[in-house]
Structure formats: structure tokens, C-alpha cells
């Protein structure tokens, strides 16, 4: 079997994967902060974790996957000062923090499913693991890694000599650039809150008793506490977005290695890069967010977004444009056309003919989860004249265990058969506009047709239309 290699952020190198124990590979993924809708950029980091999980399963490793839901706190900008996002969202909506958290957790779970992500073995909420978080702070306190100031209990990063190693931080520069008025009494710029006290006289919706007084946990704490609860320490793989490396994951490493006495706490760290939108990070703060429902409203099925995701390597930024999404939707539909033709014949495939293709597919994924190459192998199998439809069908079904595109059941969109010279002409005009990159004109024609009840369908043979 081809051996799996994964790019480890800690060592900055592609490393051969070895599971810590044969029973199962233990994987932890940082999940959403559920104070706002989860957009398609957030989904990309879930699709990446799902690609990892499906690849491990495909290669024969049992997996235990834990994902957390941050349903408490999470102050702005990774810092320990500023507005509390959960409390602020609840106040704005005139609802309780728990209601807001439930609403967006449900949306996230549903959207994750719609893009074909396997359910995690454990989905854990920060608010349901307060005792474990308090216990972790107590362990750090016993080890002499904490100090207490008016704002809360803080981790003293100067007590952990390896603090800067994980993200290769320049702590002196950080110290020099420290914002005055960040949090009074902090000993080092990088120190972070483990347990916070609400400001005098304020009463929060989310606060708990602790040995240090009423308050709430710092954001970084939950991932160490909950991963330890369900996976123990050390464990195999931790995933997250690249934006988590310098602060959140650096702090997770510091508190975990000090509390649990292990090094390295996590064997492999995998980080996915951003989805960018006209070269800008998709972020709530810039208002340029799209959710999965927005794509569906444009006539794009959710799994076409998964196909789009698979077209770029997880460690590359992926640029989202309408054109790129439409191209992915067309590509996905074309693949479905082939799958629908071949899949029922899969049982008649010659097993010997499948072996080299399986190896190529495994080799692509084993090279740090190279999904674009894996998709290319699937397309090569579709096009190779040396294969018959039974082999093609069998391969597509087998590859779908990782691709997750529902190639076994999904139906391609039907090409329309109607004809109407006037509508055909409008369609042609729209095609010309698109070729000239005059998308405003193309959209106008599409809207005019929509008003007449005519829907445009992109097919392998070009656009068709259908009356609703
Ligand atoms: Zn985390």
C-alpha cells in the first residue's frame, strides 16, 4: 500500500503518517463559533477535515473524530479584551445566548451534511464541558503556570520555554508592539486568559462558579479540555484554519503540554487555507459572506460546492467566483452523467483492471490529500477507452468513498429538449455575453428568461433551457 504523507505545521514538512495506536486514529477539528451564520468559507475547513477523515478510512484506518462547538465567549480578534461575540449577538437579536447558539449550530450541522461531510464521532459543546475546563486551569495552577489579575486567571507564557516554537513567533517584536490598554496587569504580551471575570457590576448570561469566582472560560481552553476528555493526550491529528496557528493553536499547545506533561501534545497538525472572495478573506467583519442557501438559490446543488472544494489543494487559498462555481457545477453534473450511466453495471467489473486505478487514486490522496489529482484520476478513468462501463462504474463508486459526491445515487440535471427559436436566440445572446465577460448582460438575460418561467440549465453540451 502507498504510505500516507501529511504536511505537519509543527515541523513544516510532509511527514510519513504513523498512527499512535492501531485501534484508531484520533482526530480533533476546531469547529465553529456559533454566534452568526456559518458561511461557505467556514464549510471549506470542514470539507478539508472530512477529506482527511475519508482518506484515513479509505486507507483502512479506523477514525475517532471530535469536533467542538464554541458556544460561549470568544472575544474579538483572538484577544482577551473587547466585545464578547456570543453575548453581543444575543443582545442584538433580543434572544438568549443559548438560543443563538442552538440556531447556528443547527444551520452548521445541516450545511455540513448537505456538502457530504461525515458526522463526527463526538460533537461537543464548550458550555457542556465547564468542569473539564476548570480542572485544566487547576492543573496549570498547580504547576505554577498561572497568575491572577483583576481581569481573570492568565497563562504565563514565560514559564513555557517552547511557547514561540510552534508558530515560530518573534516574541520580542510582539512585546514591543503590545497594545497599551490591552489587559492591565498582563506580564507578557502573549499571555492569555484561562478564566475571565466579568467586569464589575455586569451580569452575563453565560457565567459559572469556579474556584476563582464567577466567570467564564477563555476561548483557547475548551479545545485542550475537550480533546483530552475524548481523545486523551497525546493524540494523532489536529486540524484547523491557518488563522489559528499563531494564537489559538499556539495557546492550545502551551496549556496542553504544561497541563498534561506531553511533548508533542499532537503528532500532526494540519491547517487548511482560506476561501477568498475576490481575493479577500470571506469574513463576517467585511460583510462579504455567502451561505450554502445562497448557492442553492442560484441553482447550484450543495454537492457542486464540494466538487468545487476538491478542485484546489487544501493548503492553497481558493478563489471563489461565480464563474468558478458554475464551472464546478457543470463539471459535477458531467461526472454524474457518467456515473448514472455506469454505476448499475459495477458488479460486472473485472477486478484485475481496477487495481492500477485504485493505486493511482490512493497515491494522489497519500500525497498530503491531493484532491485535485484524485479528481483527475476519476476523470481519466471515465475517459480511458481501455476500460468498459462496468469498470468505470466500479471505480467511480469506490472513489466516491473519499470524494463524497453521492455518485451512487445522485441524478444529473436533465437536459431540456424543448425548442423555441426566440428563447434559443436569447440563450445564444447570453452565451456571447458570458464569453465577452459581460456578466451584467448575461445576468439580465437570465433574469428576463426567469420572468417568463424559463430556467437555464448548464449541460456538458452547453446551456439548455426548460419551462418551469
Ligand atoms: Zn480549537
Amino acid at each position: 500500500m502507498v504510505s500516507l504523507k501529511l504536511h505537519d505545521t509543527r515541523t513544516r514538512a510532509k511527514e510519513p503518517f504513523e498512527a499512535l495506536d492501531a485501534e484508531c486514529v484520533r482526530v480533533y477539528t476546531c469547529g465553529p463559533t456559533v454566534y452568526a451564520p456559518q458561511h461557505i468559507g467556514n464549510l471549506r475547513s470542514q470539507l478539508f477535515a472530512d477529506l482527511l477523515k475519508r482518506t484515513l478510512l479509505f486507507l483502512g484506518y479506523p477514525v475517532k473524530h471530535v469536533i467542538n462547538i464554541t458556544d460561549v465567549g470568544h472575544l474579538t480578534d483572538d484577544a482577551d479584551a473587547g466585545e464578547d461575540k456570543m453575548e453581543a449577538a444575543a443582545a442584538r437579536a433580543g434572544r438568549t445566548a443559548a438560543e443563538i447558539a442552538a440556531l447556528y449550530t443547527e444551520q452548521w450541522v445541516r450545511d455540513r451534511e448537505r456538502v457530504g461531510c461525515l458526522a463526527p464521532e463526538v460533537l461537543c459543546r464548550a458550555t457542556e464541558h465547564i468542569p473539564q475546563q476548570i480542572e485544566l486551569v487547576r492543573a496549570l495552577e498547580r504547576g505554577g503556570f498561572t497568575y491572577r489579575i483583576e481581569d481573570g486567571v492568565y497563562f504565563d507564557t514565560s514559564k513555557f520555554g517552547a511557547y514561540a516554537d510552534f508558530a515560530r513567533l518573534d516574541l520580542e517584536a510582539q512585546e514591543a508592539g503590545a497594545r497599551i490598554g490591552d489587559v492591565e496587569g498582563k506580564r507578557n504580551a502573549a499571555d492569555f486568559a484561562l478564566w475571565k471575570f466579568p467586569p464589575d457590576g455586569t451580569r452575563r448570561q453565560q457565567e459559572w462558579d469556579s474556584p476563582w469566582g464567577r466567570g467564564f472560560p477563555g476561548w483557547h481552553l475548551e479545545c485542550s479540555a475537550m480533546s483530552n476528555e475524548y481523545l486523551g493526550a497525546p493524540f494523532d491529528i489536529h486540524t484547523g484554519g491557518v488563522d489559528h496557528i499563531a494564537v489559538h493553536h499556539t495557546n492550545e499547545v502551551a496549556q496542553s503540554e504544561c497541563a498534561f506533561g506531553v511533548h508533542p501534545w499532537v503528532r500532526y497538525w494540519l491547517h487548511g487555507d482560506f476561501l477568498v472572495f475576490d481575493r479577500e478573506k470571506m469574513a463576517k467583519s467585511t460583510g462579504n459572506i455567502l451561505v450554502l442557501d445562497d448557492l442553492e438559490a442560484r441553482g447550484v446543488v450543495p454537492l457542486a460546492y464540494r466538487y468545487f472544494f476538491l478542485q484546489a489543494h487544501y493548503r492553497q487559498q481558493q478563489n471563489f467566483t461565480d464563474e468558478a462555481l458554475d464551472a464546478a457545477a457543470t463539471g459535477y453534473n458531467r461526472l454524474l452523467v457518467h456515473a448514472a450511466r455506469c454505476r448499475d453495471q459495477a458488479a460486472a467489473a473485472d477486478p484485475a483492471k481496477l487495481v492500477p486505478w485504485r493505486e493511482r487514486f490512493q497515491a494522489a490522496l497519500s500525497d498530503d490529500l491531493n484532491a485535485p489529482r484524485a479528481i483527475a484520476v476519476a476523470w481519466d478513468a471515465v475517459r480511458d477507452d481501455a476500460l468498459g462501463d462496468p469498470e468505470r462504474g466500479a471505480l467511480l463508486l469506490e472513489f466516491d468513498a473519499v470524494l463524497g459526491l453521492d455518485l451512487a445515487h445522485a441524478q444529473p440535471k436533465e437536459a431540456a429538449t424543448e425548442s423555441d427559436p426566440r428563447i434559443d436566440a436569447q440563450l445564444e445572446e447570453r452565451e456571447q455575453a458570458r464569453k465577452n465577460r459581460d456578466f451584467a448582460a448575461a445576468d439580465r438575460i437570465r433574469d428576463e428568461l426567469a420572468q417568463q418561467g424559463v430556467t437555464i440549465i448548464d449541460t456538458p453540451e452547453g446551456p439548455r433551457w426548460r419551462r418551469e
Side-chain angles (χ1 to χ4, degrees):
M1 190 169 84
V2 206
S3 78
L4 174 63
K5 286 201 171 108
L6 297 172
H7 183 274
D8 181 12
T9 304
R10 190 172 63 86
T11 62
R12 303 290 196 276
K14 268 190 216 175
E15 305 278 1
F17 177 74
E18 282 172 44
L20 289 172
D21 74 65
E23 298 267 297
C24 85
V25 175
R26 289 164 288 161
V27 181
Y28 185 89
T29 294
C30 286
T33 305
V34 286
Y35 65 90
Q38 294 298 304
H39 56 70
I40 58 172
N42 303 131
L43 272 184
R44 186 178 190 221
S45 69
Q46 292 299 316
L47 283 162
F48 144 58
D50 189 64
L51 173 67
L52 168 69
K53 180 178 187 176
R54 285 174 177 269
T55 298
L56 287 165
L57 293 170
F58 190 74
L59 297 176
Y61 297 98
V63 177
K64 182 173 183 184
H65 190 199
V66 177
I67 307 180
N68 71 303
I69 302 274
T70 300
D71 57 356
V72 57
H74 198 340
L75 303 153
T76 45
D77 301 333
D78 281 345
D80 290 309
E83 194 181 46
D84 182 308
K85 290 179 174 175
M86 280 304 307
E87 296 267 332
R92 268 198 306 276
R95 303 174 77 167
T96 67
E99 283 169 346
I100 295 283
L103 176 71
Y104 295 123
T105 300
E106 196 184 304
Q107 179 233 336
W108 176 83
V109 168
R110 191 181 65 234
D111 285 359
R112 227 183 142 272
E113 268 174 29
R114 288 157 80 204
V115 294
C117 292
L118 301 174
E121 278 61 40
V122 178
L123 184 65
C124 45
R125 291 167 175 78
T127 53
E128 291 171 3
H129 297 79
I130 300 296
Q132 290 88 339
Q133 296 181 70
I134 290 174
E135 189 42 49
L136 184 57
V137 182
R138 286 168 64 95
L140 290 168
E141 195 174 42
R142 283 196 297 273
F145 296 103
T146 67
Y147 60 92
R148 185 179 173 153
I149 53 178
E150 206 178 306
D151 183 74
V153 178
Y154 273 71
F155 183 92
D156 186 344
T157 53
S158 68
K159 298 277 173 68
F160 178 53
Y163 183 79
D165 293 358
F166 180 70
R168 305 192 182 173
L169 300 173
D170 181 348
L171 291 179
E172 278 175 31
Q174 209 171 324
E175 206 62 51
R179 281 172 293 180
I180 298 169
D182 173 14
V183 172
E184 216 177 301
K186 264 172 68 169
R187 294 180 184 167
N188 312 287
D191 292 355
F192 57 93
L194 298 165
W195 188 263
K196 278 183 67 86
F197 307 125
D200 272 347
T202 56
R203 175 90 191 165
R204 293 165 46 92
Q205 291 186 28
Q206 295 184 300
E207 52 180 48
W208 294 266
D209 287 324
S210 82
W212 312 280
R214 263 184 101 70
F216 58 102
W219 172 42
H220 313 296
L221 197 60
E222 65 183 82
C223 292
S224 295
M226 294 194 285
S227 66
N228 190 51
E229 174 82 5
Y230 297 106
L231 300 174
F235 64 89
D236 296 281
I237 306 176
H238 194 314
T239 81
V242 285
D243 52 331
H244 286 160
I245 298 171
V247 179
H248 181 50
H249 290 166
T250 288
N251 291 348
E252 282 188 29
V253 169
Q255 67 202 5
S256 300
E257 299 208 350
C258 293
F260 309 138
V262 288
H263 177 77
W265 168 51
V266 170
R267 181 62 191 84
Y268 305 89
W269 281 89
L270 270 60
H271 287 98
D273 212 321
F274 293 135
L275 179 73
V276 290
F277 194 63
D278 288 340
R279 308 279 156 212
E280 256 185 78
K281 181 189 168 191
M282 187 166 286
K284 291 163 196 104
S285 53
T286 52
N288 63 351
I289 71 160
L290 282 175
V291 295
L292 199 58
D293 281 341
D294 295 324
L295 306 194
E296 270 213 304
R298 295 179 185 192
V300 174
V301 295
L303 285 177
Y305 181 64
R306 186 180 179 98
Y307 187 93
F308 169 82
F309 159 76
L310 293 169
Q311 290 177 314
H313 193 274
Y314 76 89
R315 291 205 298 126
Q316 290 171 337
Q317 283 199 350
Q318 188 170 23
N319 197 30
F320 183 90
T321 62
D322 289 348
E323 267 181 306
L325 181 66
D326 286 347
T330 305
Y332 175 50
N333 200 57
R334 279 169 54 209
L335 195 58
L336 281 185
V337 169
H338 292 289
R341 191 189 68 239
C342 306
R343 59 195 175 201
D344 293 343
Q345 305 170 55
D350 174 358
K353 285 189 178 169
L354 308 183
V355 175
W357 289 93
R358 183 177 302 134
E359 283 172 358
R360 276 182 66 190
F361 188 72
Q362 282 181 352
L365 292 164
S366 296
D367 182 12
D368 194 25
L369 316 176
N370 195 327
R373 249 175 69 199
I375 281 271
V377 173
W379 273 110
D380 284 351
V382 165
R383 294 192 192 106
D384 190 333
D385 292 337
L387 291 176
D389 273 355
E391 287 76 28
R392 284 193 193 97
L395 287 168
L396 288 179
L397 293 183
E398 187 171 329
F399 296 167
D400 201 45
V402 178
L403 301 178
L405 295 168
D406 196 23
L407 298 179
H409 307 103
Q411 288 299 330
K413 288 186 184 176
E414 295 288 326
T417 50
E418 287 181 86
S419 180
D420 179 322
R422 192 180 51 83
I423 294 172
D424 288 343
Q426 272 182 290
L427 211 58
E428 181 53 33
E429 203 183 316
R430 173 175 170 270
E431 273 315 282
Q432 279 307 322
R434 278 175 18 141
K435 275 184 195 134
N436 299 334
R437 307 183 61 79
D438 186 357
F439 299 111
D443 287 352
R444 197 182 57 240
I445 297 167
R446 183 198 56 202
D447 294 344
E448 282 169 10
L449 288 170
Q451 278 172 16
Q452 303 165 47
V454 172
T455 304
I456 300 172
I457 307 145
D458 287 308
T459 75
E461 292 76 37
R464 302 278 181 84
W465 58 271
R466 164 177 85 210
R467 245 184 262 276
E468 296 299 334

